[in-house]
Amino acid sequence: MTRTLEAAPGGTRVTWRPVLLVAGVIAVIHLAVAARYGWHRDEFYYVITGRHPAWGYVDQPPLTPALARLAAALPGGVLPLRVLAIAAVAGCVLLAAKLAAELGGRRRAQLISAAAVAACPVFVGASALFGTTVVDQVCWLAVTVATARALRLGTTPAWLLAGLLAGLGLENKHTIAALLVGIALGLVITRRDVLRAPGPWLAGVLAALIALPNILWNASYGWPWPAVRMAAVLSGRQGSALTQVPELLLLLTGPPLLVLGVIGVRRLCTEAGRPHRWLLVVGITAVAFIAVTSGKAYYAAPALPGLFAAGAVRVEAANSRDGRRAWPIAIGLTGAFAIVVGLPVLPPKVANSVAIGSGSPAMETYGWTGYVRQIVSVADRYPADTTIFTSNYGEAGALTILGPAEGLRNPVSSAHNAYGFWGPPPGSAATVLCVGEFDAAYLHRFWSQVTEIAPLTLPDGLSNEETRQGAAIYLCGQPHGSWAQLWPGLAHLS
């Protein structure tokens, strides 16, 4: 086996029993409320895209849709998808402990690192539903741990494992490229000796080969690639990256974990932390990524466990009696906050009233069956071949997946994101039920006759993203052309 010139220190044994207990507790909490409300619009979309097998989609690579399609084929409705999400967050907890061990942390450091990830609001909230975000988090952590292990062992097989995991991560979400750039910069700046061996280079080649099918899929559409077009749209919607920093530091992390992360930064800046200083470069690169691209704050969140692990090692080394009591309490309170805000533990009325920022994440999983029933009750008045055209992929997915059980007979179509790439529906656009976040002025661009039939509402005056945007059902007629002629104007990204 080929070794690097200098192996990194660390590599203590993981105390699996208490770490598994932490992972088990968070898994049980998630499982207890996993299907309490219902589907999220993104979960509908992942399942539907998975039913259109391809090496890519305009807004994501193929891994998560393929997994969603497999899970949705099992009995239990949304529960199998949520089990996948719970497995991912439990994996993040275990990997956080392993990362602390790779940094030289013993039992206490491993427990603090694992508990910090288990309690971190951005990890708890992401694992409330299955999607690219929770899979991205476990991919980031797996690549980070594999890199730390490869630096310690210095063997080519260890580097190839890191490359394999990186390639799989790229087939899930392109934002993991920020991690890979951060690792590369970190090695150049802090561990240049490692680059004299073939391991890191072979890992990069392996990751690129695994990602190649998705790259070729994007290239088949010409420049700008679909992924580039989608990134530009999302960047334009987010606004200034400076507004994202407080959200990342406080709401998505929590003050106690922010302190732990700062301690981790201080650790990595010391001589003792020098061999693992590449983790600090990764964190800086992740923040720079959301700043440059105006990306969402949670894109950078998977870099946090590296700082948590380094902080946990320093806390353990300090061996303060007060710290031994304070850290479990602080992390526990953070976890309680994360559970209340991020999981559907509260009654819907309470969750709706305590929503922070743009709304409660849990409320975005509430009320879809009622939506479908409202639409079906209107669609029953029209011939079965009347197309239902929705404003977004969530509404289309809900009708496709939940509609048959409610008696829906009509074809369902949308022009949002991947739906737009799949092309117009068959049949005539002469009489169409347009459903969702439309307004009459927009619909009049495509149909001369536009009549609002009924608003779409949640019970008891509750609200989510759909109702806040004024979703309704419209009857549209006298189109300004066929579906094929209307489609270029209807297709949109967001």
Side-chain angles (χ1 to χ4, degrees):
M1 292 184 292
T2 302
R3 287 189 171 272
T4 59
L5 297 182
E6 180 185 352
T12 60
R13 293 176 62 88
V14 180
T15 53
W16 286 114
R17 184 174 295 179
V19 171
L20 284 168
L21 179 61
V22 173
V25 168
I26 195 67
V28 169
I29 292 172
H30 276 72
L31 191 59
V33 295
R36 187 178 181 207
Y37 285 1
W39 292 73
H40 190 278
R41 63 176 57 79
D42 290 351
E43 290 171 316
F44 290 129
Y45 184 51
Y46 296 133
V47 173
I48 298 301
T49 50
R51 292 177 181 175
H52 293 76
W55 279 111
Y57 307 94
V58 64
D59 39 11
Q60 68 232 341
L63 180 58
T64 289
L67 293 174
R69 178 188 180 183
L70 293 174
L74 300 173
V78 74
L79 184 58
L81 280 82
R82 299 289 168 80
V83 170
L84 284 179
I86 294 168
V89 74
C92 288
V93 171
L94 299 178
L95 287 167
K98 175 63 175 171
L99 183 57
E102 290 293 342
L103 271 56
R106 298 182 298 277
R107 182 180 185 275
R108 187 169 178 233
Q110 295 166 21
L111 280 173
I112 291 175
S113 183
V117 170
C120 187
V122 70
F123 282 84
V124 173
S127 55
L129 58 105
F130 179 71
T132 55
T133 299
V134 71
V135 178
D136 190 47
Q137 289 176 345
V138 75
C139 287
W140 273 62
L141 261 167
V143 172
T144 303
V145 170
T147 301
R149 177 176 176 270
L151 286 168
R152 175 173 59 84
L153 296 177
T155 64
T156 297
W159 279 109
L160 289 177
L161 175 61
L164 171 65
L165 295 170
L168 291 175
L170 288 168
E171 288 290 3
N172 171 70
K173 194 173 174 70
H174 295 133
T175 51
I176 200 173
L179 169 65
L180 304 183
V181 171
I183 291 174
L185 289 175
L187 295 182
V188 169
I189 295 171
T190 70
R191 296 297 308 275
R192 194 171 302 175
D193 60 295
V194 172
L195 300 178
R196 299 171 189 166
W201 303 98
L202 292 175
V205 171
L206 179 58
L209 287 174
I210 295 173
L212 185 60
N214 180 249
I215 295 172
L216 294 176
W217 179 88
N218 273 277
S220 69
Y221 284 90
W223 187 261
W225 293 355
V228 173
R229 290 161 54 190
M230 189 74 219
V233 170
L234 294 178
S235 177
R237 290 179 57 193
Q238 287 303 117
S240 172
L242 295 177
T243 63
Q244 302 278 317
V245 175
E247 181 183 1
L248 175 64
L249 296 182
L250 295 175
L251 183 59
L252 299 186
T253 307
L257 299 187
L258 176 59
V259 172
L260 183 63
V262 171
I263 294 172
V265 171
R266 293 179 60 188
R267 164 77 181 184
L268 294 172
C269 290
T270 64
E271 183 61 26
R274 184 184 63 81
H276 309 293
R277 199 168 294 164
W278 60 275
L279 288 169
L280 180 57
V281 180
V282 166
I284 294 171
T285 304
V287 173
F289 169 74
I290 63 170
V292 171
T293 64
S294 295
K296 297 179 181 179
Y298 65 78
Y299 290 172
L304 292 171
L307 305 182
F308 293 163
V313 172
R314 181 161 182 151
V315 167
E316 181 182 59
N319 198 29
S320 165
R321 179 177 299 178
D322 292 338
R324 285 198 295 270
R325 293 193 297 265
W327 279 109
I329 294 172
I331 292 174
L333 290 175
T334 302
F337 166 79
I339 289 168
V340 170
V341 172
L343 299 183
V345 297
L346 300 174
K349 285 186 178 181
V350 178
N352 196 76
S353 64
V354 300
I356 297 175
S358 60
S360 166
M363 290 305 298
E364 304 311 315
T365 68
Y366 179 75
W368 284 106
T369 300
Y371 266 70
V372 170
R373 287 173 180 165
Q374 292 174 68
I375 296 166
V376 170
S377 68
V378 173
D380 281 343
R381 308 173 197 169
Y382 300 92
D385 61 352
T386 302
T387 297
I388 299 177
F389 181 76
T390 73
S391 67
N392 64 51
Y393 60 62
E395 297 149 352
L399 289 167
T400 302
I401 293 174
L402 303 180
E406 302 299 329
L408 183 66
R409 307 163 298 158
N410 305 69
V412 177
S413 183
S414 181
H416 185 205
N417 289 8
Y419 280 92
F421 273 63
W422 296 332
S428 170
T431 302
V432 178
L433 288 173
C434 291
V435 172
E437 304 166 21
F438 292 119
D439 62 62
Y442 172 83
L443 293 174
H444 271 297
R445 291 166 50 188
F446 307 98
W447 289 273
S448 293
Q449 290 186 348
V450 176
T451 304
E452 181 175 343
I453 297 176
L456 288 166
T457 61
L458 292 181
D460 302 319
L462 302 182
S463 64
N464 59 15
E465 183 176 322
E466 301 288 327
T467 56
R468 285 193 298 272
Q469 299 296 325
I473 306 173
Y474 297 85
L475 177 65
C476 298
Q478 295 186 6
H480 301 164
S482 66
W483 276 119
Q485 294 169 322
L486 298 178
W487 205 249
L490 290 168
H492 63 284
L493 304 176
S494 67

